[in-house]
Amino acid sequence: MSPSPCSCVLLIDDHALFRAGLGVVLRRAWPAVTVQEAASITEALSRIDERCPDLIVLDVHLPDANGLAMLGALRVRCGRTVPVAVVSSGEEADHWVAAREAGASAYLCKSAEAGQIISTLEACLAGGRCFPVQSYGVPSAPQVLQACESVPPARSAMPTAQQRDILQLLGKGVPNKAIARQIGLSENDVRAEVSWLTDTLEACSRQQAYEAAVARGWLSP
């Protein structure tokens, strides 16, 4: 069981059974999380007006709109950059490529196992982007749909003392909000630092970032 990395998740899907099942998975993994549900874009916008989520899980096919076409509008309504993980039953390359081009943080197949879903969503919350591994533009097999895409770092690969402190806290499973309090940064700044660290270390999760930092000699185990 992981510490809750966020306080509120909005699930947008017109299948009540899928929403209920994913809600159970999220609450088991993150006991403190609030899970909001919406069956349409219209309902989702109403939920956002009630409470802005930390993470949006968005189905592509909705009764009142195409989820990908409305992705940007959902973020604008939140008034800040909120990671959006797109979920779909399709495993074809054009599905996840379209999600990535629309600005999604991740693509999840609905057949994914609970552990894969949680690790992918945690990577999104840490600033990562998770899409299929590409081989000549086409996924090599359905199971690669949970692999994280590596983004080349834009800064020097050597961490600062503050970044090493953040990595130590990641290794302890401390969520961004608590890291912000301990380090003395804003939560947005912590999210940006965690994003850079996971990208630089080519990690798909916060724990993997910590382990990679130890393997590189950045930290003592």
Side-chain angles (χ1 to χ4, degrees):
M1 185 182 295
S2 307
S4 298
C6 68
S7 61
C8 182
V9 178
L10 174 58
L11 306 182
I12 310 173
D13 194 291
D14 60 335
H15 292 92
L17 187 59
F18 177 79
R19 295 198 311 269
L22 183 53
V24 169
V25 169
L26 292 172
R27 292 184 185 97
R28 284 178 178 172
W30 309 333
V33 75
T34 296
V35 179
Q36 295 178 308
E37 297 184 19
S40 66
I41 291 295
T42 301
E43 189 177 357
L45 294 172
S46 176
R47 293 283 180 269
I48 290 172
D49 287 342
E50 295 170 5
R51 180 177 182 180
C52 187
D54 302 300
L55 172 69
I56 295 173
V57 179
L58 174 67
D59 189 15
V60 174
H61 303 292
L62 295 165
D64 58 347
N66 178 283
L68 296 184
M70 295 301 296
L71 193 154
L74 290 168
R75 279 183 164 156
V76 169
R77 191 64 159 259
C78 287
R80 59 190 175 92
T81 302
V82 173
V84 179
V86 170
V87 291
S88 176
S89 57
E91 296 180 355
E92 292 81 1
D94 58 340
H95 289 189
W96 63 261
V97 169
R100 185 174 63 182
E101 291 179 349
S105 297
Y107 182 92
L108 279 164
C109 187
K110 289 186 176 181
S111 62
E113 296 180 357
Q116 293 176 318
I117 291 173
I118 292 300
S119 62
T120 297
L121 296 182
E122 287 180 344
C124 289
L125 286 162
R129 302 184 72 225
C130 296
F131 292 95
V133 173
Q134 237 177 322
S135 177
Y136 301 102
V138 180
S140 58
Q143 60 265 31
V144 304
L145 288 170
Q146 304 308 319
C148 285
E149 178 186 64
S150 176
V151 180
R155 294 187 282 175
S156 167
M158 289 303 297
T160 63
Q162 187 174 75
Q163 288 169 340
R164 286 195 291 271
D165 290 341
I166 291 173
L167 283 163
Q168 291 284 9
L169 293 170
L170 294 183
K172 297 176 182 178
V174 180
N176 286 354
K177 187 174 293 185
I179 292 175
R181 288 196 300 268
Q182 294 188 45
I183 299 295
L185 295 174
S186 71
E187 191 172 351
N188 284 340
D189 286 342
V190 170
R191 183 172 292 169
E193 291 292 353
V194 172
S195 175
W196 180 80
L197 289 166
T198 53
D199 287 346
T200 299
L201 293 163
E202 299 182 354
C204 290
S205 70
R206 299 155 71 87
Q207 182 63 31
Q208 283 185 14
Y210 168 78
E211 293 170 357
V214 171
R216 289 194 184 192
W218 288 2
L219 303 173
S220 299

